Amino acid sequence: MSPHPSPPRVPAPEAPAGPPGQADGAAPRAPAGGAPKPPARPGLSLLCTVSAAVLLLSVVVAIGLGPAVITPDATTRYLWAALTGGSVDAAEATAYQIVWEIRTPRVLLAALVGAGLSAVGVAIQALVRNALADPFVLGVSSGASVGAVGVTVTGGLAALGVHAVSAGAFAGALAASVLVYAASATRGALSPLRLVLTGVALSLGFQAVMSVIIYYASDTDATGMVLYWTMGGFGAASWGALPVVTAVVLAGLVLLHRQGRALDLLSLGDETAASLGVDPDRRRKALLVLVSLLTGVMVAVSGAIAFVGLVMPHLVRMLVGATHARVLAVAPLVGAVFMVWADLASRTLVAPRELPLGAITALVGVPVFITLLRRRAYMFGGR
């Protein structure tokens, strides 16, 4: 017998049995197919390219359609002649005038306003952290309507000629923005909730002022004007209005796209944004100025068009995700396509009369928004 007996052996613990078909003790295998994968999203470049192509095709088709139908081939030929200084046959002069002088500025303005409203909607929803916000939640459209109706009734800004009403609308929009900022700022800080509540309250106040102006007006022009500015439309589009709107909207789109990361952080809350190096109050003030300027310019030429800035951002988020840089790359293109077709419907469905554009966008936007709300409830504040 050994003087140092060996200690008793302890049996090693048995490896847990694996699933059927797996050897005992073997490392567990991942289930077939792996973990559930999020739905694949189309590439951003591909989506932008397709959207741009659809927009170009929509513009050409919309220019050709109307009470006088012009084929896409003829429309393209007239546009090319106008852009290159070419000539057309005398027999085609009337069709050429319809295409270049009447429909082209209108369709281009519709595309610009649709793009701008969609981008501003994306920014405001992050700015106030409210999925139900749109470009008019800050009272800018109501202020613009007051300015437009006031100029019409009083005859002010007559020196500006045909641009007097648009100038009055823009001045009213800027005045509304200043009032919203002054009423909602507390010790220099802007609270998202205060912005929304102040904008809603001032919108109601502006509507009351507009009603009083119309009530005491000595003619009926104000009634037609208030309908135009509250429902929107591009019937007054002209080449003279396009340069300013184009410059402001394109510059605004570039600036908003550069603020993509800041919008991501603001949408997560002020504390998170501050901890990651973004001053929420300072950034919110800058964005308020930018979206107010963009909204004022667009409302001055088109009136208040609802639901575009509310619905388009949510539709695009379903395609590209919630990252604001991606959303702001696609939303303007999608919004432009939608506005071009909405304007086409407004001027052709009951031709020769025009339906209010806001009625068309609401008829489309309400069911789409309700469908999104029911199918993807988490996007609107949770189930």
Side-chain angles (χ1 to χ4, degrees):
M1 179 179 295
S2 171
H4 301 288
S6 301
R9 292 183 179 179
V10 180
E14 295 183 1
Q22 176 180 313
D24 291 348
R29 293 195 300 263
K37 296 180 180 179
R41 301 191 187 278
L44 184 62
S45 299
L46 175 62
L47 198 55
C48 289
T49 302
V50 172
S51 300
V54 172
L55 175 58
L56 180 61
L57 179 62
S58 300
V59 167
V60 174
V61 172
I63 291 174
L65 294 180
V69 178
I70 301 171
T71 64
D73 178 65
T75 301
T76 304
R77 189 157 44 83
Y78 297 153
L79 292 175
W80 181 254
L83 293 173
T84 60
S87 61
V88 296
D89 294 338
E92 299 177 310
T94 300
Y96 173 82
Q97 291 294 325
I98 292 174
V99 165
W100 184 248
E101 297 295 338
I102 299 175
R103 293 182 184 171
T104 299
R106 176 170 183 151
V107 173
L108 293 180
L109 187 62
L112 285 169
V113 171
L117 289 178
S118 300
V120 171
V122 173
I124 288 184
Q125 288 172 7
L127 183 67
V128 300
R129 299 206 303 274
N130 191 325
L132 300 179
D134 68 359
F136 306 119
V137 75
L138 301 181
V140 177
S141 63
S142 298
S145 299
V146 170
V149 173
V151 168
T152 301
V153 172
T154 63
L157 304 178
L160 297 178
V162 295
H163 302 293
V165 176
S166 294
F170 182 66
L174 291 186
S177 303
V178 173
L179 286 176
V180 168
Y181 174 80
S184 58
T186 304
R187 298 194 184 103
L190 284 177
S191 165
L193 181 59
R194 280 179 174 272
L195 274 175
V196 173
L197 295 179
T198 303
V200 171
L202 287 179
S203 292
L204 296 175
F206 288 135
Q207 291 174 14
V209 171
M210 190 163 47
S211 300
V212 171
I213 293 175
I214 295 172
Y215 182 79
Y216 284 103
S218 58
D219 53 45
T220 59
D221 288 343
T223 303
M225 184 59 63
V226 72
L227 286 176
Y228 174 81
W229 288 103
T230 54
M231 300 301 289
F234 299 104
S238 66
W239 284 111
L242 273 176
V244 173
V245 179
T246 302
V248 173
V249 170
L250 293 182
L253 293 179
V254 172
L255 292 175
L256 285 177
H257 190 268
R258 291 182 176 178
Q259 297 297 317
R261 179 177 178 274
L263 292 172
D264 288 338
L265 299 180
L266 286 176
S267 64
L268 297 176
D270 288 3
E271 293 183 1
T272 301
S275 66
L276 295 175
V278 172
D279 185 341
D281 290 326
R282 181 179 178 183
R283 196 58 60 94
R284 192 171 286 117
K285 292 175 187 176
L287 287 170
L288 176 62
V289 172
L290 179 57
V291 299
S292 297
L293 177 63
L294 280 170
T295 305
V297 169
M298 290 184 289
V299 171
V301 296
S302 67
I305 303 173
F307 280 98
V308 179
L310 173 62
V311 175
M312 291 300 114
H314 294 301
L315 284 175
V316 174
R317 287 190 189 101
M318 293 178 62
L319 295 174
V320 302
T323 304
H324 283 85
R326 293 173 61 87
V327 176
L328 286 169
V330 179
L333 295 170
V334 175
V337 171
F338 172 74
M339 190 66 83
V340 167
W341 286 100
D343 177 61
L344 178 62
S346 74
R347 60 185 169 88
T348 57
L349 288 180
V350 293
R353 302 182 64 184
E354 287 191 19
L355 287 173
L357 186 56
I360 300 294
T361 58
L363 288 174
V364 176
V366 170
V368 168
F369 187 77
I370 292 176
T371 302
L372 290 175
L373 184 64
R374 292 179 62 85
R375 291 185 59 190
R376 300 178 68 88
Y378 68 91
M379 295 178 63
F380 301 89
R383 290 186 170 85

